[in-house]
Amino acid sequence: KSTLLLISIPAVVAFNGYLPTICRNTRLMTSRSDSIAFPHPLKPHAVINRRHVNLRLTPSSSSDLNSRIARFYDESSSLWEEVWGEHMHMGHYGDNGDEKKTNLKAQQDMVDRLIDWGGIPSSPPRTVLDVGCGVGGSSRHLARRFNCQVTGITLSPLQCDHATARSMRAGLSNRTRFLVADALNLPFANDSFDLIWSMESGEHMPDKVRWLSECHRVLRPGGRLLVATWVHRNTERQGGSVLGHPANPGLSGSERRLLDKVSRYYELPDWVELHDYRAAAAAAGLRWARESDWSA
């Protein structure tokens, strides 16, 4: 297959005052035991009372990462919707981050900028897979822009229900569908999609090679995989294997501890850098097309 992989790095979860070498502009902090302040690119330092949503401050005892991710988003998605609306991802505020616009417009612009940057062919995709679709904001945007059929998958039954309901209200039930499914075991036949879209979901994938291999399998020849994901800073290490942050010799101890903390909040596996995505893409048989760092 002549499948393309395009990786973009949006403003990776930022921690100004903690570790500016990773990224900038938002903060992670804990306050009293009854509240948590979490990274929020639209409203930094938002403090949410834990009586309203159970965002765990300690690692779950469960060994099943998928179950923990599903539970996290089942418990928190209504909050994200209240604060962010239908788009559960960061916004684009211009190349210098200083454009004045509403949060919704910034999030819509993020989708459009990623589409434009990815060089979607003049012949638009007919079938799109949205991996980690949240409540379907990107799915509906893609369906409108390309007049195509979009399938969104999520581990969260609540997100699937909310995405379906939102599409029904938007009059897009005939062009979007949503499933509870595992991206590492996609329930689709080979060569099913022209485009696979992943907006800030790759960081949840514990096995990057397996995930990209599954994407490769369900993409049609010449299809594209367009990814925006969180990564840690580039350590410029050598070697062709995927290496998570705990074993990366290019990170300091304080950097590893910070990434561990973020992983506990968001039920993330080991963080990787862009180099690791290159290695995973090669192992999965994908042809690397281009990359860009959109950190703030």
Side-chain angles (χ1 to χ4, degrees):
K1 293 183 178 180
S2 58
T3 307
L4 303 177
L5 172 66
L6 303 100
I7 295 286
S8 175
I9 312 169
V12 187
V13 184
F15 306 94
N16 189 14
Y18 279 82
L19 194 58
T21 56
I22 290 184
C23 37
R24 299 178 290 278
N25 283 352
T26 59
R27 296 185 182 182
L28 175 70
M29 62 185 74
T30 57
S31 53
R32 301 188 312 275
S33 60
D34 63 344
S35 64
I36 172 175
F38 59 94
H40 197 305
L42 305 182
K43 294 183 179 180
H45 319 138
V47 178
I48 304 302
N49 192 299
R50 292 188 70 198
R51 290 192 297 270
H52 298 157
V53 59
N54 180 23
L55 295 179
R56 283 176 297 278
L57 299 180
T58 58
S60 169
S61 61
S62 172
S63 61
D64 187 343
L65 178 61
N66 280 1
S67 294
R68 300 201 313 266
I69 293 170
R71 186 167 59 247
F72 174 81
Y73 284 108
D74 279 349
E75 293 173 352
S76 64
S77 288
S78 294
L79 168 64
W80 300 123
E81 288 181 88
E82 181 180 341
V83 177
W84 277 357
E86 68 172 346
H87 289 278
M88 294 185 175
H89 57 79
M90 298 182 187
H92 195 286
Y93 293 87
D95 293 337
N96 296 321
D98 56 0
E99 290 184 9
K100 302 298 182 183
K101 61 182 74 173
T102 66
N103 295 335
L104 175 59
K105 183 63 166 61
Q107 289 172 305
Q108 293 171 337
D109 286 351
M110 180 68 170
V111 176
D112 284 328
R113 289 292 293 267
L114 187 57
I115 291 171
D116 295 341
W117 176 85
I120 304 302
S122 56
S123 176
R126 295 171 298 155
T127 55
V128 177
L129 176 62
D130 184 355
V131 177
C133 63
V135 295
S138 291
S139 297
R140 285 181 291 276
H141 195 92
L142 290 163
R144 291 188 186 100
R145 175 156 172 172
F146 294 118
N147 192 28
C148 61
Q149 297 293 319
V150 183
T151 299
I153 63 168
T154 173
L155 290 171
S156 165
L158 181 141
Q159 285 189 338
C160 184
D161 290 345
H162 285 203
T164 301
R166 282 178 173 272
S167 281
M168 185 174 297
R169 292 196 299 269
L172 289 170
S173 296
N174 62 330
R175 281 190 276 160
T176 59
R177 65 168 179 154
F178 301 97
L179 307 172
V180 175
D182 181 2
L184 272 61
N185 295 282
L186 292 171
F188 309 112
N190 295 353
D191 305 338
S192 293
F193 300 98
D194 302 314
L195 172 67
I196 296 180
W197 174 273
S198 174
M199 175 67 83
E200 297 181 29
S201 65
E203 54 272 14
H204 278 299
M205 310 301 175
D207 187 334
K208 303 296 192 270
V209 174
R210 182 171 176 179
W211 171 46
L212 297 184
S213 295
E214 276 292 273
C215 290
H216 188 211
R217 179 181 67 80
V218 302
L219 271 171
R220 294 193 175 104
R224 296 195 176 197
L225 170 60
L226 188 52
V227 177
T229 189
W230 298 358
V231 295
H232 67 65
R233 67 172 178 82
N234 181 19
T235 62
E236 299 183 355
R237 65 180 178 82
Q238 302 299 314
S241 62
V242 178
L243 187 64
H245 75 270
N248 191 321
L251 294 174
S252 68
S254 61
E255 287 175 320
R256 293 193 193 96
R257 288 190 295 273
L258 176 57
L259 294 171
D260 286 341
K261 180 183 291 188
V262 181
S263 295
R264 290 197 299 271
Y265 285 128
Y266 288 99
E267 301 294 5
L268 301 177
D270 291 352
W271 286 66
V272 299
E273 62 182 277
L274 190 55
H275 173 92
D276 295 300
Y277 271 98
R278 280 183 169 274
L286 289 162
R287 180 166 68 88
W288 188 271
R290 63 183 300 204
E291 66 195 56
S292 181
D293 184 346
W294 287 8
S295 298

